[in-house]
Amino acid sequence: MSNPGSTVPAETRLLTADAAGIAEAAALLRAGRLVAFPTETVYGLGGDATDPNAVAAIYAAKARPSFNPLISHVPDAGAARAQGVFGEEANRLAEAFWPGPLTLVVPASAGTRVCELARAGLPSVALRVPGSEPARALLAAFGRPVAGPSANRSGRVSPTRAAHVLEDLNGRIAAVLDGGDTRVGLESTVVACLGGRARLLRPGGITRERLRDVLGYDLEGPEAADTHTPVGPGLLASHYAPNAAVRLDAMRIAPGEALMLFGDFRPEGHDAARAVVNLSEAGDATEAAARLFGALRDLDASGAATIAVAPIPSEGLGEAIRDRLGRAAAPR
């Protein structure tokens, strides 16, 4: 299935996340088709991670650079250990946070079924056990690892509801399994366990502080993204980008700009904003994370040329929020 447009219907089907919908989604995956599915973080664009043709179709549907490795989703830790080599630190993190919003990049096992294309030719594999019950039910029904990057066009805002998937991918994939709004709203934290100390590759739903509590030390990273050969998913410098330009730490708003707020701070000239969304009136980072991508989409839909973002603290989940916004603001 190298050309998704030739094998998917003009309209992508919307499946309910019940037993019948999950069974149908698993059948589509077995047929080499692409199915978006809900996790607790964002919706993933699922394809058979063992089938290079299905993985190629994911890259084509997303218009995603083939050097960017994909996360493979599995239903439990045992299935993950069949695909990767887990040392002491990887095991400790898996026991603490799976199922949940943590991706572990580990050496690929000798018998891994995750194809080389999904691993972007690397000797490592990115694995996750999602916290969403519909996702794990789908993975168990399918019986093989599912490559599942965010279900949007590459570089665009990640989807937190089925409607967001259809905005980007309607007619490009076979189906969307609709599980409602995602709970976390930020992608998974990505940690590399490749020998030596674990390294934080991407902040996400598991905070740096929680990782430190398990491992007993502060993780290094993320370093500046290597835009040519990233070792983990979601590490391109320009990523999560709306059509509008994004301006961070805005203290003053120009007329016609859209405005993203956090808490009770109001930049000078905020009344002139074309559209306004407050991620959390209470200044709660968890609420802000869950609303981030939906807010970016809503502000982008206003037609403003620029989205100005008021200052957001970097503590806890704020680090991941600022990471995503920084990538959205990067030169394209």
Side-chain angles (χ1 to χ4, degrees):
M1 180 178 161
S2 59
N3 180 0
S6 65
T7 56
V8 299
E11 292 288 332
T12 295
R13 297 174 61 192
L14 193 64
L15 304 176
T16 303
D18 55 15
I22 288 167
E24 189 165 355
L28 288 168
L29 289 173
R30 282 191 288 271
R33 310 290 288 280
L34 303 185
V35 177
F37 63 100
T39 77
E40 76 281 21
T41 57
V42 299
Y43 275 72
L45 177 54
D48 185 350
T50 73
D51 179 0
N53 290 322
V55 173
I58 292 175
Y59 287 127
K62 286 179 63 69
R64 183 185 183 99
S66 61
F67 51 74
N68 201 1
L70 304 180
I71 297 172
S72 290
H73 295 70
V74 291
D76 53 53
R81 292 187 179 98
Q83 307 303 323
V85 178
F86 280 62
E88 178 185 354
E89 293 188 333
N91 277 317
R92 288 165 62 188
L93 291 170
E95 290 168 6
F97 299 118
W98 278 355
L102 174 70
T103 294
L104 293 175
V105 179
V106 297
S109 66
T112 187
R113 299 185 67 191
V114 177
C115 70
E116 189 173 32
L117 184 59
R119 295 185 283 116
L122 298 171
S124 56
V125 60
L127 297 166
R128 182 160 95 88
V129 178
S132 160
E133 290 185 8
R136 293 200 307 280
L138 174 62
L139 296 168
F142 179 56
R144 295 194 287 272
V146 171
S150 57
N152 54 280
R153 299 293 290 273
S154 186
R156 296 294 303 280
V157 180
S158 298
T160 56
R161 61 184 58 161
H164 294 162
V165 178
L166 293 174
E167 286 175 12
D168 268 7
L169 299 178
N170 191 20
R172 300 180 67 86
I173 64 176
V176 180
L177 189 65
D178 187 356
D181 289 3
T182 62
R183 174 174 55 82
V184 176
L186 281 176
E187 291 88 351
S188 60
T189 298
V190 180
V191 175
C193 297
L194 297 170
R197 286 192 163 195
R199 186 160 62 96
L200 179 64
L201 298 183
R202 180 180 74 183
I206 302 296
T207 65
R208 184 187 295 268
E209 293 79 5
R210 294 179 68 193
L211 297 171
R212 181 185 60 211
D213 289 343
V214 171
L215 295 178
Y217 60 85
D218 286 316
L219 276 68
E220 294 185 357
E223 286 77 20
D226 181 342
T227 61
H228 299 289
T229 55
V231 298
L235 299 182
L236 296 181
S238 177
H239 210 60
Y240 315 107
N243 293 314
V246 175
R247 184 167 66 86
L248 303 181
D249 295 318
M251 305 300 290
R252 174 179 295 183
I253 304 304
E257 287 185 318
L259 173 60
M260 180 180 291
L261 295 171
F262 178 81
D264 57 8
F265 175 77
R266 300 293 183 269
E268 183 179 342
H270 64 90
D271 289 337
R274 181 166 186 164
V276 180
V277 174
N278 196 323
L279 294 178
S280 173
E281 294 278 359
D284 182 282
T286 299
E287 179 185 18
R291 298 191 63 196
L292 176 62
F293 290 131
L296 275 173
R297 287 179 178 271
D298 289 345
L299 292 173
D300 202 28
S302 74
T306 301
I307 298 171
V309 181
I312 297 173
S314 59
E315 293 81 14
L317 278 178
E319 180 183 19
I321 294 169
R322 290 185 64 89
D323 172 84
R324 301 310 189 275
L325 289 170
R327 294 175 191 275
R332 307 172 193 174

